[in-house]
Amino acid sequence: MARTPCCDKSGLKKGTWTPEEDKKLIAYVTKHGCWNWRQLPKYAGLSRCGKSCRLRWMNYLRPNIKRGNYSKQEEDLIVNLHASLGNRWSAIAAQLPGRTDNEVKNHWHTYLKKRSGQNSISRDAKLSSKKDVIIQKKLLKPELSHLHNATHQILESSPFLPQTSSSELSSSASGKDCTTRATEDDVSPVEMFADIGGNFWTEVFLADNYPTNEHFLAPLIEPGVLYPSSPIIGEELFSLYGLQ
DNA sequence: AAAGAAATCAACCGCGATAAC
DNA sequence: AGTTATCGCGGTTGATTTCTT
């Protein structure tokens, strides 16, 4: 079957996204949802391919994204899942709250592949510490540090995390629980989940059970419903991009 | 201090799956 | 049933950053 190109290549911007483009995409998706990725850039005022917009949103701009600083548990899980699932990155990422398939894939290729291959603890320790420094430096990039801080907070309080069932999610969507983690900041998300007592690491990330596209995003953009529980789409990000 | 090598990761590309007509 | 449009996934690339010499 003949395939149309994903977009008209002429005049479309490629490469790294600018804060201005991020702002436009966030503003549009927040207001209208992603009803059609192919048409979205046209209405959002972006000279980008729809696919590019989708990728940017899914991997970096949407709520609940967690970046950098993989915990030992996460890494072990990735290694184990990769052994059983192979290169099914989306399936692997689904088991890791806040992680995207792209990021898991990158992390595998840059670090875990070596580890699983040679199990060199001393080298791992060296690489890990070096990597942490790099990550922290990158997190301090002025244009993105807000996002990273915000996403960290999200993971600490997000209703999408597996401690709430999907039925609970709808009831907690009002954001009433959004501050309950505020006093537990010293506990990493992983540690927190490990304490839940359930089978968190064997359960599919809740967001993965969500309907996709407009049905997924529509609740996210309902004013007053999810914002309080999603700082990245809430005040911090809005102020960052001057959307308030 | 500078240059080259290596590592990292954001983003692109192409393809398969599937929904819509 | 066939065709088209769109989405989502995995592989890959290339710019940037960091390390090593």
Side-chain angles (χ1 to χ4, degrees):
Chain A
M1 133 181 62
R3 286 182 62 84
T4 55
C6 72
C7 53
D8 179 7
K9 306 286 184 189
S10 62
L12 291 181
K13 191 169 181 289
K14 290 171 69 173
T16 307
W17 280 66
T18 65
E20 191 63 29
E21 289 176 309
D22 284 344
K23 179 180 168 180
K24 284 182 180 178
L25 182 58
I26 291 168
Y28 188 87
V29 174
T30 300
K31 188 172 182 181
H32 303 286
C34 48
W35 49 277
N36 183 325
W37 284 114
R38 192 183 168 90
Q39 300 295 323
L40 186 147
K42 183 170 65 182
Y43 292 97
L46 290 162
S47 300
R48 290 273 182 177
C49 168
K51 265 179 129 172
S52 181
C53 293
R54 178 190 161 273
L55 193 75
R56 184 66 182 169
W57 174 260
M58 297 303 284
N59 284 343
Y60 301 97
L61 301 178
R62 72 182 161 101
N64 305 325
I65 298 294
K66 182 183 178 184
R67 308 198 59 75
N69 295 322
Y70 278 78
S71 68
K72 181 72 165 59
Q73 288 97 328
E74 284 179 302
E75 292 184 338
D76 288 344
L77 184 63
I78 292 170
V79 171
N80 291 336
L81 286 171
H82 185 267
S84 58
L85 297 174
N87 294 353
R88 294 177 58 198
W89 303 114
S90 62
I92 293 171
Q95 307 295 320
L96 293 148
R99 302 294 188 188
T100 68
D101 56 350
N102 203 34
E103 193 181 27
V104 169
K105 181 171 57 180
N106 280 335
H107 192 63
W108 168 264
H109 284 303
T110 59
Y111 176 52
L112 296 177
K113 189 163 69 173
K114 300 167 195 167
R115 182 182 115 171
S116 69
Q118 63 188 36
N119 246 347
S120 170
I121 294 173
S122 58
R123 175 171 164 78
D124 285 350
K126 183 184 175 188
L127 286 172
S128 184
S129 59
K130 260 164 61 174
K131 190 175 166 60
D132 287 346
V133 170
I134 293 168
I135 288 167
Q136 287 182 8
K137 284 181 180 176
K138 292 196 172 189
L139 291 184
L140 291 175
K141 281 183 177 177
E143 70 272 24
L144 289 176
S145 59
H146 288 76
L147 292 177
H148 289 121
N149 291 336
T151 51
H152 184 70
Q153 291 171 16
I154 290 165
L155 286 163
E156 301 277 311
S157 61
S158 171
F160 290 94
L161 292 175
Q163 70 266 38
T164 48
S165 68
S166 55
S167 57
E168 290 167 335
L169 177 65
S170 58
S171 62
S172 64
S174 62
K176 63 180 181 182
D177 295 331
C178 69
T179 59
T180 57
R181 288 277 305 135
T183 59
E184 303 172 33
D185 287 341
D186 292 339
V187 183
S188 73
V190 171
E191 290 167 334
M192 179 176 72
F193 298 140
D195 290 336
I196 293 170
N199 52 342
F200 161 63
W201 288 112
T202 60
E203 288 185 359
V204 175
F205 178 36
L206 192 60
D208 212 45
N209 295 332
Y210 258 65
T212 54
N213 303 331
E214 70 275 16
H215 296 108
F216 172 74
L217 285 161
L220 295 179
I221 61 172
E222 194 66 31
V225 173
L226 193 67
Y227 294 169
S229 302
S230 300
I232 196 166
I233 292 292
E235 293 176 8
E236 188 167 359
L237 190 62
F238 278 145
S239 61
L240 170 66
Y241 284 122
L243 293 175
Q244 276 185 327

